[in-house]
Amino acid sequence: MTGSQPQITEADLISYVDGRLDDQRRNAVTAYLDSNPADARKVKAWLEQNAALTALYGRLDEGALPANLDIARMERRVRSERAHWRNLAAASILVLAIGLTAGWFGHGFIQRNDEETRSIITAAAQAHSLFASEILHPVEVRANAEDSSNLQKWLMKRLDRKFNIPDLESHGLQLVGGRVLPSSTGAAAQLMYEDATGQRVTLYIVPASDSEDTAMRRTNVGALETVSWDDETIRCSLVGNLDPKRMDAIAKEMYQQLS
């Protein structure tokens, strides 16, 4: 960026999404996004989430914030992680926008669709929204870090479950790394993968004490696609905005490799 170009801040990006910039500043942000694809993807996701919320609930009265958009409540759930306000707002929008349009696929499984499953899908979408657009710290332990060989052991120890970290190179995805997150049932693990275009998917895993194998459930959460399933001792939710058929194929590959 040259000295003659205006400095674009996070506040400018948020105001751009909310339609609160004057023409001159909006044009400056538009020019900035044209040359900064990472921020452009972030802004595009925010716009899609806002559009999904508006489509479902209409425009909100700025003077009356619904309880399920309470940022403090969302912050308590992710207080162990460093996250800025806008990502928390995006996560709360996802909670509102969740719509269970299940596409069932797979064979030889028992179908299951309960409140706990929906809660995991929501948490997985929130975690994806928080970290998938992160540039500097998308994961706690990177796959190319010196201690990356301990990533699997670390995650298994925190969840008290045995599982493998899937290799998705055949699907054009490289492992970025992983992190541990809090969940309503204890610790959760998030694995992040990235393709050559910078698109990311995450796999959210929580331990299960009474789980049975289930059919895979495809769900739309705002602009995101999720594919979820139970696998004996763990429950999993794959999250991303790739083509649904590609998401299905990746989920099946993960299921095969996890155990």
Side-chain angles (χ1 to χ4, degrees):
M1 179 175 293
T2 66
S4 62
Q5 293 177 310
Q7 179 71 35
I8 302 301
T9 66
E10 182 85 358
D12 289 321
L13 298 182
I14 295 171
S15 296
Y16 178 86
V17 170
D18 292 340
R20 298 180 181 274
L21 295 178
D22 57 35
D23 290 345
Q24 182 178 358
R25 197 62 178 171
R26 184 174 63 252
N27 291 338
V29 173
T30 300
Y32 169 82
L33 294 175
D34 287 341
S35 57
N36 291 270
D39 279 343
R41 288 195 298 270
K42 183 190 299 184
V43 166
K44 180 176 181 291
W46 291 347
L47 288 169
E48 290 174 346
Q49 290 157 7
N50 285 354
L53 177 62
T54 300
L56 287 172
Y57 299 96
R59 293 192 176 277
L60 294 175
D61 180 358
E62 293 183 359
L65 186 66
N68 51 359
L69 278 178
D70 185 350
I71 300 304
R73 179 183 300 177
M74 298 299 302
E75 187 173 13
R76 286 195 295 271
R77 295 192 64 183
V78 294
R79 60 184 177 273
S80 65
E81 301 293 334
R82 182 183 62 85
H84 52 72
W85 183 91
R86 182 63 201 192
N87 277 343
L88 287 172
S92 63
I93 288 171
L94 288 175
V95 175
L96 276 176
I98 184 167
L100 295 180
T101 54
W104 301 87
F105 62 99
H107 302 282
F109 296 100
I110 300 172
Q111 295 186 359
R112 179 188 181 104
N113 187 15
D114 54 19
E115 287 298 326
E116 187 171 3
T117 297
R118 289 192 288 272
S119 174
I120 291 169
I121 292 171
T122 300
Q126 291 174 8
H128 182 93
S129 177
L130 286 170
F131 300 113
S133 62
E134 187 71 36
I135 304 301
L136 295 179
H137 305 288
V139 294
E140 283 184 88
V141 178
R142 285 187 174 271
N144 58 0
E146 292 183 3
D147 58 349
S148 61
S149 60
N150 295 321
L151 176 60
Q152 181 175 337
K153 293 180 180 179
W154 174 56
L155 294 178
M156 289 194 304
K157 181 177 181 181
R158 294 301 301 271
L159 270 66
D160 192 26
R161 295 292 187 274
K162 290 184 177 181
F163 57 87
N164 299 316
I165 295 179
D167 182 343
L168 300 178
E169 289 190 8
S170 62
H171 292 269
L173 292 165
Q174 295 286 336
L175 178 66
V176 178
R179 67 168 65 242
V180 173
L181 295 168
S183 78
S184 60
T185 58
Q190 184 191 59
L191 296 171
M192 184 179 294
Y193 297 82
E194 185 177 66
D195 68 13
T197 68
Q199 289 274 62
R200 288 172 171 173
V201 298
T202 57
L203 178 65
Y204 185 86
I205 306 171
V206 295
S209 58
D210 59 348
S211 181
E212 300 174 304
D213 282 4
T214 66
M216 291 184 172
R217 302 167 291 273
R218 187 189 304 117
T219 305
N220 296 115
V221 184
L224 297 173
E225 294 277 346
T226 76
V227 183
S228 305
W229 67 94
D230 294 1
D231 184 7
E232 295 185 352
T233 62
I234 56 176
R235 288 185 171 134
C236 305
S237 186
L238 173 67
V239 186
N241 54 10
L242 303 179
D243 177 82
K245 290 184 179 179
R246 188 179 179 194
M247 291 285 288
D248 290 353
I250 293 169
K252 290 178 182 178
E253 182 70 28
M254 285 181 161
Y255 172 80
Q256 294 295 328
Q257 293 191 37
L258 274 167
S259 58

